[in-house]
Amino acid sequence: MTKKILNLCILLILILIARQEFVPLITFAEPADKDSVGICKTGIVTWDKRKFSKVMVSTVAGKIMTEGSTDGIGEEARFSFPRGITVDNHGMLYVVDSNNCTIRKISPNGSVTTFAGNPGQRGSTDGTGAAARFHDPSGIARDRHGNLYVVDTMNSTIRKINPFGVVTTFAGAAGQIGSADGIGAAARFHRPNDITIDGDGNLYVTDSSNHTIRKISPTGTVTTIAGTSGKPGSANGIGWSARFNKPQCIAVDRDRNLYVTDSSNHTIRKIAPKGIVTTVAGKAGHMGAVNGTGEEARFKEPQGIAVDNFGILYVADNICIRKITPNKIVTTFAGKMGSLGYADGEGKKARFAIPYGITVDGNGDLYLTEMLNRIRKITFEPIKIL
């Protein structure tokens, strides 16, 4: 009888996987020995806590198509075209509220406050909290010391915010467009868009209108690591010989590989630590909404990108969230391609209102911004098998 029950359980699991109702990863136990990235280990066996989990989408804060700047809890809060997003080790979210020209902070209980900038007040002034000014900021990243780095797009600068809310200009000069490498204020950017940070504190920026990827050392030295200013294209290659076309967002994995949404090429690019640029998925110049492997897949001006501890990429594209495995298999992870909506719920039944920025926390949960003024969360609800 026990064997028959076990066989029935296995059959049920296979049916659920075939229907793609759940993430096809299975765990039967959770050993006590846990490491820092949410994996459980016993002997030579590695257990992923997300295995065989249901993907669920919920709303953290904001209300769809309701614009504003009000602080508050959950749906009471208002945003105006939120873009970049990052999360700290305690579950605190930081959101770039682009049209409000502010940086918002969201606590784990959904309480939204304004951390820096003053709603609707554009400028480039350094200062503390509400005294600082931004001009249509976009990307954001956080270092291990709690400092935030913000891409101040229309000022063509990179700003730094320390844990006490003191805002300074870290690289570039406000209103000075260009492509020059240099230290701090001597460097120039042209409407940069997004930023990420590696374990050594190096920043990487998509300098979108220059069609390049820039690196900023912890001391503020800016260099161009891939692409050539003023020369858009799609060529793979090493460093300056590679070409990009309006690169939008960027993420870095723990091996220092960079992943870029090359928006106007409709592709996902990879930059290895030695500067070798390759195309992970999609085909340059071929826009669409097709799942597949590598070049077979199609994207339509992909935006936000994040990478988890397992090397899985998540991309905001076609009004849904796409997933790319390390072997380049592209699938729809949450939402439905081309289907605008607002519904929370299970994976592909959920709907999004133009997702943009994505970040992933230490548990593998995703947080994302929607251009129509909401912050969403995607979690993995475990299914316990006794």
Side-chain angles (χ1 to χ4, degrees):
M1 178 65 71
T2 303
K3 188 174 181 180
K4 288 183 178 180
I5 293 173
L6 180 60
N7 288 336
L8 286 172
C9 287
I10 292 171
L11 179 62
L12 177 60
I13 290 168
L14 292 173
I15 290 170
L16 290 172
I17 291 171
R19 291 177 58 192
Q20 297 183 339
E21 294 280 337
F22 304 102
V23 177
L25 302 164
I26 306 168
T27 186
F28 296 93
E30 185 173 311
D33 179 24
K34 304 177 183 179
D35 69 12
S36 61
V37 295
I39 304 171
C40 300
K41 298 178 179 178
T42 300
I44 61 170
V45 181
T46 299
W47 305 86
D48 179 358
K49 288 176 67 176
R50 303 178 311 162
K51 290 179 177 180
F52 199 56
S53 297
K54 186 165 54 175
V55 175
M56 296 298 294
V57 180
S58 59
T59 299
V60 175
K63 188 174 182 180
I64 189 171
M65 297 182 72
T66 306
E67 188 175 5
S69 61
T70 307
D71 290 337
I73 297 175
E75 195 177 275
E76 298 172 359
R78 295 290 178 267
F79 299 87
S80 181
F81 198 60
R83 298 182 72 182
I85 185 169
T86 192
V87 60
D88 71 15
N89 296 331
H90 305 289
M92 195 75 71
L93 298 171
Y94 296 90
V95 175
V96 178
D97 199 3
S98 189
N99 280 0
N100 279 324
C101 298
T102 56
I103 310 303
R104 313 291 290 281
K105 183 177 179 179
I106 308 177
S107 68
N109 70 354
S111 178
V112 180
T113 54
T114 301
F115 186 59
N118 197 353
Q121 300 295 311
R122 290 177 167 82
S124 60
T125 307
D126 290 336
T128 301
R133 295 291 180 269
F134 302 87
H135 193 173
D136 296 353
S138 53
I140 189 169
R142 178 185 175 276
D143 70 17
R144 65 180 65 186
H145 305 295
N147 298 301
L148 299 172
Y149 297 88
V150 176
V151 178
D152 200 358
T153 298
M154 296 306 291
N155 278 324
S156 290
T157 56
I158 308 302
R159 313 292 289 281
K160 179 179 178 179
I161 310 175
N162 76 11
F164 303 102
V166 179
V167 181
T168 55
T169 301
F170 189 63
Q176 300 295 312
I177 291 172
S179 61
D181 290 337
I183 299 174
R188 294 291 180 268
F189 301 87
H190 190 180
R191 294 188 180 177
N193 191 73
D194 196 24
I195 192 167
T196 191
I197 188 167
D198 69 18
D200 296 323
N202 296 300
L203 299 167
Y204 301 90
V205 176
T206 51
D207 198 359
S208 190
S209 290
N210 275 327
H211 313 289
T212 56
I213 308 302
R214 315 291 291 279
K215 177 180 178 179
I216 310 175
S217 73
T219 56
T221 300
V222 180
T223 54
T224 302
I225 63 168
T228 297
S229 175
K231 294 185 177 180
S234 61
N236 291 323
I238 299 175
W240 295 355
S241 67
R243 295 290 180 266
F244 299 86
N245 194 351
K246 292 289 181 72
Q248 290 297 300
C249 295
I250 189 167
V252 62
D253 68 18
R254 52 188 175 185
D255 296 321
R256 308 297 193 268
N257 296 298
L258 299 171
Y259 299 92
V260 177
T261 52
D262 198 2
S263 187
S264 290
N265 277 326
H266 314 292
T267 56
I268 311 302
R269 313 290 291 281
K270 176 181 178 180
I271 308 173
K274 292 185 178 180
I276 300 171
V277 180
T278 55
T279 302
V280 174
K283 187 174 182 179
H286 292 257
M287 182 172 62
V290 179
N291 290 324
T293 302
E295 195 178 85
E296 298 171 357
R298 294 290 179 269
F299 298 86
K300 182 180 179 181
E301 297 180 347
Q303 301 293 331
I305 189 168
V307 58
D308 70 12
N309 287 318
F310 303 97
I312 295 172
L313 300 174
Y314 299 93
V315 178
D317 175 70
N318 273 294
I319 320 180
C320 68
I321 306 302
R322 314 282 293 278
K323 175 180 173 180
I324 308 174
T325 65
N327 55 357
K328 302 184 180 181
I329 297 173
V330 181
T331 56
T332 302
F333 178 68
K336 183 179 179 181
M337 285 193 282
S339 182
L340 182 72
Y342 57 88
D344 289 334
E346 213 175 296
K348 296 175 185 177
K349 296 177 183 177
R351 294 292 179 267
F352 297 95
I354 315 179
Y356 187 86
I358 309 179
T359 191
V360 59
D361 69 15
N363 295 318
D365 295 329
L366 303 174
Y367 296 89
L368 57 100
T369 59
E370 291 178 312
M371 292 185 183
L372 296 186
N373 306 320
R374 283 192 307 178
I375 313 302
R376 310 290 291 281
K377 181 178 182 179
I378 303 178
T379 57
F380 299 84
E381 277 192 9
I383 303 298
K384 292 185 179 180
I385 300 175
L386 301 178

